[in-house]
Amino acid sequence: MERGRRAAGVVKWGAVALVGLTLLGGMALAVYALRTQAPLDGRLAVAGLAQPVQVRRDAADVTHIAAESPQDLWRALGLVHAQERSWQLEFNRRVMHGTLSEVLGPATLETDKLMRALDIRGAAQRQYAGLPLAAREALQAYSEGIAAFHAGRTQALTPEFLLLGVTPGREGGRDGAPWSPEDSVGWALMLALDLGGNWGNEFARLSLLRGLDTERLWQLMPPYPGEAPATAVDLAALYRGLGVYATQQAPPAPVTAGLNGLAGAIDQARADWARALAQEAGSNDGKGSNNWVLAGTRSTSGKPLLANDPHLGLSAPAIWYYAHLQAPAGQSSDGAAIGAIDTIGATLPGLPFVVLGRTARVAWGFTNTSPDVQDLYLEQIDAQDATRYRTPAGWEPFSVREEVIRIKGQADLQLQLRATRHGPVLSDVQASHGQLLDLSKYVLALRWSALDADNHTVLAGLQANQAQSVAELQQAFAHYHSPMQSIVMADVDGAIAFKAAGKVPVRHADNDLRGVAPAPGWLARYDWQGWLSDAQTPQDDGAQRGWIATANQRITGPDYAHFLTQDWHLPYRYDRIAQLLEARALHDLDSMAAIQTDVTSLATQRLLPALRTAAAQAYHPLAVQTAELLRTFDGRMDAQHSAPLVFAAWADELARGLIVPRIGNARFAATYGKRDFRAALEGILARDDGWWCAPRSCAEQSAQALERALERLQSAYGSRPAQWRWGRAHPAVSSHRPLGSVAALARFFNVQTPSSGDGYTVNVGQYNAGDVAGGAFANRHAASLRGLYDLADLEQSRFIFQTGQSGNVFSPRYADMRGAWAAGQYRPLQRTPARWTHQLVLAPRASD
């Protein structure tokens, strides 16, 4: 009996101790969470400042920074970015340096190898060295602000640093600056890489031609609607004649095992951000951005209206940070004048200026022009000396450099990287090249304009923040290099304009491939011949229609004299914007907002008759209920409706059913998701193409695709189609890098909400149907922000993005915009708000 009482006592006190430890752990976590919060009020001493700087937050949580000099302004912005987005800066720096594996292990090795091969860091250093002194000093001041935060940090580092054991600025076993001025240039290069899809399209065509003839290739990857392919070359015959393919298909490269525990879960990210970046850059099919501008003759206010919603991969924290930057005119150390700065809008942590937004008198917005500025070259290897490759002048040696990649938990990797006269040899780091090509005969090298030393895109950003008119904006954006952007502009005096700003190569008249597929690198006719001048790139003053819109569609008319690309995006978003702009004589900010949030998919409407026919012919038990749902479906991809989910699942199954038998599972898996083959499906069904649909009719294939789709949806969502919801299958997922890929942490670090739209709606909700494990219909590429501007009263401007200003998962400001973004709501974007919610003074440190 006594022994029983003692045992019960042990259990009792053990339970008490467990509860106590849990409470203590909770208290410790709460204290730590409080210590990670950025100071928003009071006074903070900062090294390097010459004068005090005001940092105030308004009710919309826009950060207003007012300094007495441009240099102090840039220092303060660097410090604020570090306060709010320190892990984002650290992670992004490691991405472009190719040092992720040092802290995340072998799962990110392929990403690191690609970054080292592209030499993003080296290119950034060369470009930085060529900038005017005033621009270099701006980037230097910004990096000093980041360094000042870490040197005098009063808040604890956010949990990413602790969970992954990362020390800010420590790389290669050595301590360094947490951010350098060259890193800002490098981050602009990374944006160009993210927005570039040419090289992925070229490699996809080369890969598909191993099993398809040229005619079938152009059916699977059609040119822009109504146009012939940009090249008439029989590409399949060209590559067979050269003998470029490996004699046997190599097996896919094994996935490198990750570390045990938390970091090992990073392997899952290979199906998301790491693999997407490390393998072929891919195309941007269905992805892109929208912008449009209306002249005062088309607005109720009599002044221009401007809208912009750039579509980028969703992340938590968001890619953007909203700020108002204000400083009087100044000068650089060599006496060069720096104009007064008074600009508000979206900044990119890593860059010291507003990228998208407005000043007191002018507003602007970007979309990606997507010209062909990346060419792959087949470089022939000398059979007698593998250190040489063939050029128009004979055999020349590869340039070679050595890189060492530190890998957590493993030995360092000694990496030998080659380059040719065109650029880096991607075959040295891309496993997919070795699976396709005979690398004893050929390698693939990349010519990419963004890597050139004259890339001064950051100078354009700095000068745009000082502009007060459309004309001054155009002068600033004349420095824009990469990635080329379709920019719409408007000022308070009523001027509007469109300009495609950036560098585009001129190809030789005898270049019969025109950059659509890898070219023989030893033939001089495939070398670039220079660049289009600023006057030759597309532009428009809006006089013809009173409005200008771009949505990644062809922006040039039939009389345009120069070749930009054949890989424009399908024009569905542009066509819908044009419909809605022409639907009323005069617009206001509310009608502009309605266009930005429109979810009618013209692409869905085009294939909807085929789906209705399939529903009538399908034998699945749910086919009758589905047919009734589709009877009233008008192509609106609304989160609250079920028909959009049926359509998406059917289109997915139809693509798999028609294309996999022709190109094989492996090649389909390598390309699907990066492109959805929507144009191919449209063409196959329109032609009733017996070759693609064999051994059945196209109608039978369509019906069977619906049967498979219904079986899949029934298994996931139950047997009542009327209760299925597109938004449940199609959540907008802003993924944290890298902890959003760790199952135990994803629910805390990722930001998720049901969403409408698809890849072809104005309110884009792009999904990767090939990523079944990650959620085939999850929306991972959408409006990264929405901005609206009325030039009659710029204080009525509006904005929103999908997460929140803070990058700290413990902050209530981490995801507080999520609901408003999904609902199509906005926050005010004002230079002079009615009140401040927080006020902080950054004071020069006394020792300075």
Side-chain angles (χ1 to χ4, degrees):
M1 181 72 71
E2 180 65 25
R3 181 180 301 175
R5 283 196 295 269
R6 286 200 300 268
V10 169
V11 171
K12 173 184 175 181
W13 288 110
V16 170
L18 181 61
V19 171
L21 288 173
T22 302
L23 290 174
L24 286 173
M27 291 173 61
L29 180 62
V31 170
Y32 167 66
L34 285 173
R35 291 187 59 237
T36 64
Q37 302 303 310
L40 304 182
D41 296 285
R43 192 174 182 88
L44 184 66
V46 177
L49 289 179
Q51 299 289 332
V53 177
Q54 294 282 344
V55 179
R56 296 171 290 191
R57 270 84 173 180
D58 63 21
D61 203 20
V62 175
T63 301
H64 298 250
I65 306 175
E68 297 300 318
S69 71
Q71 289 80 9
D72 273 354
L73 175 67
W74 295 320
R75 288 186 187 97
L77 179 61
L79 181 134
V80 168
H81 278 167
Q83 284 182 320
E84 301 268 44
R85 304 289 185 88
S86 198
W87 173 253
Q88 187 177 40
L89 288 168
E90 175 69 20
F91 185 87
N92 291 347
R93 185 177 60 83
R94 287 186 173 276
V95 169
M96 59 186 166
H97 287 192
T99 59
L100 283 175
S101 299
E102 185 174 328
V103 296
L104 299 182
T108 53
L109 182 57
E110 298 307 308
T111 300
D112 285 347
K113 288 163 65 177
L114 177 59
M115 293 302 105
R116 300 293 183 96
L118 293 174
D119 194 20
I120 296 294
R121 193 174 185 180
Q125 291 170 342
R126 293 185 291 273
Q127 292 170 11
Y128 174 78
L131 288 170
L133 180 61
R136 296 201 306 272
E137 289 182 348
L139 302 183
Q140 179 65 41
Y142 176 78
S143 67
E144 289 170 359
I146 296 174
F149 164 78
H150 287 286
R153 182 164 45 83
T154 59
Q155 64 195 73
L157 290 171
T158 52
E160 298 93 335
F161 292 96
L162 301 184
L163 290 170
L164 297 171
V166 175
T167 300
R170 185 174 178 83
E171 285 182 334
R174 297 180 298 276
D175 290 324
W179 191 269
S180 72
E182 294 89 345
D183 287 337
S184 291
V185 179
W187 196 240
L189 276 174
M190 291 301 296
L191 182 62
L193 179 63
D194 184 55
L195 294 176
N198 307 131
W199 117 52
N201 281 334
E202 289 188 43
F203 186 80
R205 291 180 182 118
L206 180 66
S207 177
L208 291 167
L209 285 163
R210 181 169 183 155
L212 293 176
D213 62 32
T214 304
E215 179 184 3
R216 302 301 182 190
L217 170 73
W218 292 125
Q219 292 173 354
L220 185 58
M221 296 180 67
Y224 198 66
E227 299 180 5
T231 177
V233 172
D234 186 341
L235 298 173
L238 169 67
Y239 298 131
R240 283 196 303 268
L242 292 173
V244 303
Y245 297 114
T247 54
Q248 291 187 341
Q249 180 79 41
V255 175
T256 309
L259 301 176
N260 293 328
L262 178 64
I266 303 304
D267 280 336
Q268 299 175 30
R270 294 171 65 85
D272 185 12
W273 53 268
R275 185 171 60 185
L277 184 61
Q279 294 181 356
E280 295 311 321
S283 80
N284 291 325
D285 280 10
K287 305 174 184 177
S289 306
N290 306 315
N291 65 15
W292 61 91
V293 61
L294 280 72
T297 56
R298 298 298 305 272
S299 77
T300 58
S301 70
K303 291 287 187 177
L305 297 170
L306 189 145
N308 188 203
D309 54 296
H311 308 152
L312 298 168
L314 301 180
S315 63
I319 188 174
W320 305 109
Y321 183 86
Y322 263 76
H324 174 204
L325 309 180
Q326 191 172 18
Q331 62 181 28
S332 61
S333 61
D334 65 352
I338 301 172
I341 300 170
D342 190 356
T343 182
I344 185 170
T347 69
L348 276 172
L351 293 171
F353 49 81
V354 168
V355 178
L356 298 170
R358 67 178 181 91
T359 66
R361 297 181 59 83
V362 66
W364 67 94
F366 287 3
T367 68
N368 196 23
T369 311
S370 301
D372 191 343
V373 296
Q374 296 173 337
D375 277 1
L376 289 179
Y377 288 90
L378 286 161
E379 308 285 20
Q380 187 175 14
I381 298 174
D382 186 350
Q384 306 303 316
D385 183 356
T387 67
R388 303 195 304 174
Y389 70 100
R390 188 178 176 189
T391 77
W395 300 102
E396 298 287 346
F398 289 98
S399 63
V400 180
R401 58 188 172 87
E402 302 286 338
E403 292 276 349
V404 177
I405 300 179
R406 294 169 63 92
I407 308 169
K408 187 174 184 179
Q410 293 187 2
D412 294 351
L413 174 67
Q414 306 288 328
L415 189 64
Q416 187 178 81
L417 297 170
R418 294 176 290 177
T420 72
R421 66 195 186 92
H422 295 115
V425 173
L426 296 185
S427 306
D428 289 341
V429 295
Q430 298 275 265
S432 55
H433 292 185
Q435 295 163 19
L436 180 68
L437 299 174
D438 185 343
L439 295 182
S440 68
K441 296 179 180 178
Y442 298 98
V443 294
L444 280 173
L446 173 68
R447 175 73 172 99
W448 179 27
S449 62
L451 297 177
D452 289 5
D454 67 343
N455 183 350
H456 291 172
T457 294
V458 293
L459 178 59
L462 289 166
Q463 292 190 0
N465 283 195
Q466 304 164 39
Q468 296 299 316
S469 68
V470 163
E472 290 181 7
L473 268 183
Q474 289 174 320
Q475 292 173 9
F477 289 132
H479 297 290
Y480 209 95
H481 189 293
S482 299
M484 178 177 252
Q485 295 293 291
S486 296
I487 308 173
V488 295
M489 303 164 252
D491 64 30
V492 297
D493 295 321
I496 67 170
F498 152 75
K499 177 66 177 176
K503 286 292 191 76
V504 179
V506 174
R507 292 177 171 83
H508 197 283
D510 293 333
N511 183 341
D512 51 1
L513 292 176
R514 306 186 86 183
V516 302
W522 58 91
L523 298 179
R525 72 174 184 269
Y526 296 119
D527 293 341
W528 294 355
Q529 305 299 305
W531 309 94
L532 293 182
S533 69
D534 183 66
Q536 291 172 318
T537 60
Q539 52 199 316
D540 189 355
D541 63 5
Q544 182 177 357
R545 288 183 296 189
W547 59 268
I548 312 161
T550 77
N552 314 109
Q553 85 289 356
R554 176 180 283 283
I555 58 170
T556 57
D559 57 344
Y560 184 67
H562 311 287
F563 177 75
L564 297 184
T565 183
Q566 80 156 20
D567 292 327
W568 308 101
H569 295 178
L570 292 174
Y572 289 118
R573 282 184 288 111
Y574 172 81
D575 290 344
R576 181 60 177 167
I577 292 168
Q579 281 182 2
L580 295 172
L581 288 177
E582 292 293 356
R584 55 191 295 174
L586 299 177
H587 285 270
D588 56 20
L589 285 182
D590 288 339
S591 66
M592 299 277 276
I595 298 174
Q596 277 192 335
T597 55
D598 183 78
V599 294
T600 293
S601 173
L602 300 185
T604 295
Q605 289 181 354
R606 177 162 181 180
L607 288 183
L608 192 50
L611 176 56
R612 289 190 177 119
T613 299
Q617 297 177 352
Y619 292 104
H620 194 277
L622 301 182
V624 173
Q625 296 178 57
T626 301
E628 181 59 25
L629 287 176
L630 295 174
R631 185 178 61 82
T632 57
F633 181 44
D634 60 358
R636 291 186 70 251
M637 306 298 284
D638 191 308
Q640 301 304 315
H641 294 170
S642 55
L645 177 57
V646 174
F647 177 88
W650 167 77
D652 177 33
E653 292 293 342
L654 184 61
R656 295 173 185 276
L658 297 183
I659 299 171
V660 170
R662 295 303 188 182
I663 68 173
N665 275 310
R667 196 159 287 120
F668 182 82
T671 54
Y672 191 52
K674 296 172 185 176
R675 46 195 59 78
D676 64 5
F677 298 119
R678 180 62 61 87
L681 293 182
E682 292 173 355
I684 291 168
L685 295 183
R687 294 188 306 271
D688 195 19
D689 194 312
W691 188 85
W692 286 99
C693 293
R696 302 175 181 85
S697 70
C698 290
E700 290 171 333
Q701 288 278 19
S702 181
Q704 290 182 12
L706 179 59
E707 290 167 5
R708 294 193 300 272
L710 292 176
E711 192 65 28
R712 176 176 160 190
L713 296 177
Q714 182 179 21
S715 175
Y717 305 111
S719 299
R720 302 178 68 179
Q723 295 184 357
W724 298 343
R725 293 293 178 265
W726 177 228
R728 180 182 174 190
H730 185 247
V733 181
S734 298
S735 298
H736 182 279
R737 300 179 178 184
L739 299 181
S741 299
V742 181
L745 299 176
R747 62 186 293 250
F748 303 106
F749 284 89
N750 287 349
V751 177
Q752 185 166 316
T753 185
S755 67
S756 299
D758 69 2
Y760 302 96
T761 51
V762 179
N763 184 5
V764 160
Q766 176 71 18
Y767 54 86
N768 180 351
D771 185 13
V772 177
F777 304 122
N779 175 9
R780 299 183 184 273
H781 198 112
S784 61
L785 68 83
R786 299 187 188 103
L788 297 173
Y789 310 90
D790 185 344
L791 278 295
D793 182 2
L794 280 168
E795 287 296 273
Q796 298 302 312
S797 300
R798 309 175 187 177
F799 84 100
I800 200 70
F801 60 91
Q802 86 286 359
T803 56
Q805 287 277 72
S806 176
N808 182 358
V809 70
F810 293 128
S811 171
R813 300 161 51 243
Y814 182 72
D816 60 329
M817 297 191 208
R818 167 178 51 190
W821 175 84
Q825 299 168 357
Y826 298 80
R827 292 185 176 186
L829 186 64
Q830 299 174 321
R831 290 168 50 250
T832 56
R835 65 183 181 92
W836 303 114
T837 57
H838 298 283
Q839 299 189 60
L840 176 70
V841 175
L842 305 181
R845 181 169 289 175
S847 60
D848 297 339

